Amino acid sequence: MNIELEKRAKEAVSHFQTKGETGEVCPWGSGHINDTFRVDGDIRYIIQRLNRSIFIKPMQVMDNITGVTTFLKEKIKKAGGDELRDTLTVIPTEDGKTLYVDCFGDCWRMYYMIEDAVSYDQVESEKDFYESAKAFGNFCYLLSDYPARTLHETIPGFHDTKARYEVFQRAVEADVCGRAKDVQQEIAFFEEREEIAGVLGKMQAEGKLPLRVTHNDTKLNNIMMDSISGKGVCVIDLDTVMPGLSAHDFGDAIRYGASTAAEDEVDLSKVNFDIHLFELYAKGFLEGCRGSLTETEIDMLPMGAKVMTYECGMRFLTDYLQGDSYFKIHREGHNLDRCRTQMKLVKDMEANWEQMGRIVRQCAGLE
Ligand code: ADP
Ligand code: GN1
Ligand code: MG
């Protein structure tokens, strides 16, 4: 993170309605999309610069987040929870807006920092993973009566895997960086499995899978876990809350969390799909959803895991081919490393396919 950006973050802080004195502003977290800073002081805050090239309509992103968090706060209050900790709170700017636009045209937003809680980049204990599953399931459950039509599609076709396949193919053809020749095996991997891309979209179009309000980016570091109880406290990173499929939310969490290694591990011998973690997550997620999923949705949860892993691997490869302009990278070939872990996980899931199907049915009490 460059010093210049830290200075700009500090300047942006002064435009929000913070309480008490604010102090140091330092880079925070390991997200791939926005620039996140922790703001120290009497009360701690998180300030973020929204990624402008990804979120073309930042006001729509904030409208969604305000709508969803206001709705959640009502439910949390009724259930006797802590509305300032169990969901995000958008801090207004000095003129009452949700975004501060700086002199470069960049958009900044602020939240309370969720205190006494941590987000994990990798599963450290089975209990944490299970608790995160319950919290993500509960998140979908709580939003099941949210007026989905009022949500903006902040990133059109975000989990339209078929459309993403077409973008990937165009990136291979254009080969703007001349990298395609060195990644022929990776390209072939996604091409050989093209049919994976169409499965969920087709079922949704046929009315077999319902559209719900989903988070769409349920990786483990997008949930804050209580440092003492280990329970999931607050689902964060709400930029992509949109109508979607339950299989997407389940699947993305599996893709990231039910792996024995980090998303960017270079040594693929360390990267394995962990069926035990898969089972724990399935159990927690279904508990969190409290019986709200249909039998077909339950049966498609393993497919969600495979599709999301395939899709994410393909997105990393596309970005590599296009010159690493979407995901933040911290070394040369970073997106390619990420792509390869996802390929390894897809292969492992293929090898465990029947067992995955049995597990979700057993966890749901269907067998
Ligand atoms: P990105 O879209 O770049 O992933 P996130 O909103 O996920 O951005 O934020 C990046 C990281 O910053 C999170 O993984 C988390 O560790 C931390 N973070 C974000 N918001 C908060 C918050 N309100 N309280 C505490 N930590 C936060
Ligand atoms: C991004 O924002 P972050 O780092 O939580 C991405 C997800 C990918 C993920 C891969 C808006 O998530 O879709 O699955 O990286 N978010 C966006 O780690 O594209
Ligand atoms: Mg994030």
Side-chain angles (χ1 to χ4, degrees):
M1 185 84 57
N2 59 52
I3 304 288
E4 199 46 46
L5 192 59
E6 276 185 55
K7 277 201 206 139
R8 287 176 55 196
K10 204 166 174 136
E11 191 276 329
V13 169
S14 67
H15 294 277
F16 285 85
Q17 293 184 30
T18 48
K19 291 182 200 139
E21 288 291 307
T22 55
E24 284 298 295
V25 174
C26 56
W28 193 243
S30 50
H32 295 339
I33 304 296
N34 298 309
D35 296 302
T36 303
F37 299 84
R38 190 190 75 204
V39 182
D40 291 344
D42 298 335
I43 294 177
R44 295 202 295 178
Y45 297 91
I46 291 287
I47 189 163
Q48 290 182 310
R49 179 175 74 156
L50 258 87
N51 188 319
R52 255 204 302 180
S53 47
I54 295 177
F55 299 108
I56 317 251
K57 295 180 179 164
M59 266 320 293
Q60 294 198 348
V61 173
M62 294 316 290
D63 280 353
N64 281 1
I65 294 177
T66 315
V68 163
T69 53
T70 308
F71 183 87
L72 288 174
K73 281 178 192 300
E74 276 308 307
K75 292 210 169 179
I76 290 164
K77 262 193 288 185
K78 274 192 199 138
D82 180 350
E83 56 162 319
L84 294 181
R85 187 162 184 264
D86 300 354
T87 190
L88 290 172
T89 304
V90 177
I91 308 296
T93 63
E94 54 198 355
D95 48 1
K97 305 221 166 76
T98 54
L99 284 172
Y100 164 66
V101 185
D102 70 13
C103 59
F104 298 93
D106 278 339
C107 293
W108 299 81
R109 59 141 180 251
M110 194 184 256
Y111 298 121
Y112 283 129
M113 174 150 181
I114 308 299
E115 295 287 359
D116 307 313
V118 273
S119 74
Y120 296 105
D121 285 332
Q122 225 185 306
V123 173
E124 284 177 16
S125 87
E126 293 185 355
K127 183 177 177 291
D128 288 338
F129 195 46
Y130 166 72
E131 291 295 344
S132 77
K134 275 214 304 204
F136 270 125
N138 183 51
F139 181 83
C140 284
Y141 170 76
L142 290 178
L143 291 175
S144 57
D145 54 345
Y146 187 84
R149 273 171 291 109
T150 62
L151 284 171
H152 305 286
E153 207 179 348
T154 48
I155 301 180
F158 190 55
H159 288 317
D160 182 342
T161 316
K162 244 184 138 171
R164 290 209 178 264
Y165 184 83
E166 277 154 30
V167 173
F168 157 68
Q169 289 239 292
R170 285 203 293 277
V172 173
E173 276 155 31
D175 192 21
V176 288
C177 299
R179 290 174 168 176
K181 61 181 183 321
D182 303 321
V183 289
Q184 285 303 310
Q185 276 186 16
E186 287 78 5
I187 292 171
F189 179 92
F190 293 99
E191 287 180 347
E192 281 158 16
R193 290 166 177 77
E194 184 190 349
E195 103 256 23
I196 296 178
V199 181
L200 294 177
K202 182 165 179 282
M203 290 185 73
Q204 188 218 317
E206 290 168 355
K208 292 179 184 156
L209 290 174
L211 261 193
R212 299 179 178 278
V213 173
T214 46
H215 182 279
N216 296 304
D217 188 3
T218 49
K219 65 183 189 183
L220 190 61
N221 65 18
N222 284 332
I223 186 163
M224 303 304 300
M225 310 292 294
D226 189 283
S227 314
I228 295 175
S229 71
K231 294 203 182 298
V233 193
C234 178
V235 172
I236 60 169
D237 203 346
L238 303 177
D239 297 333
T240 52
V241 173
M242 286 180 278
L245 302 177
S246 52
H248 294 150
D249 273 6
F250 176 82
D252 196 48
I254 294 296
R255 164 194 90 66
Y256 191 83
S259 167
T260 52
E263 190 185 57
D264 59 354
E265 175 59 56
V266 178
D267 180 355
L268 289 180
S269 70
K270 293 187 183 152
V271 183
N272 296 298
F273 170 62
D274 186 329
I275 193 85
H276 178 60
L277 288 177
F278 173 81
E279 180 166 1
L280 273 180
Y281 198 91
K283 192 167 170 289
F285 188 77
L286 287 163
E287 272 174 36
C289 288
R290 298 185 229 183
S292 58
L293 302 191
T294 65
E295 189 168 342
T296 311
E297 280 183 291
I298 293 167
D299 280 331
M300 292 317 282
L301 294 179
M303 183 57 82
K306 191 160 73 170
V307 171
M308 293 306 289
T309 313
Y310 171 88
E311 180 189 282
C312 199
M314 189 167 64
R315 289 173 66 195
F316 288 141
L317 183 57
T318 304
D319 200 28
Y320 178 73
L321 291 167
Q322 291 176 333
D324 306 302
S325 56
Y326 187 97
F327 297 104
K328 283 187 184 163
I329 56 161
H330 306 292
R331 57 177 187 252
E332 218 176 291
H334 206 165
N335 273 316
L336 187 56
D337 296 337
R338 290 170 176 150
C339 159
R340 289 178 174 149
T341 62
Q342 305 306 291
M343 287 166 53
K344 174 66 179 23
L345 294 172
V346 169
K347 280 190 251 175
D348 283 0
M349 287 179 201
E350 287 169 347
N352 284 277
W353 194 238
E354 268 142 44
Q355 207 185 341
M356 286 166 74
R358 266 199 312 278
I359 286 172
V360 286
R361 285 188 71 81
Q362 275 161 5
C363 289
L366 294 168
E367 257 173 31

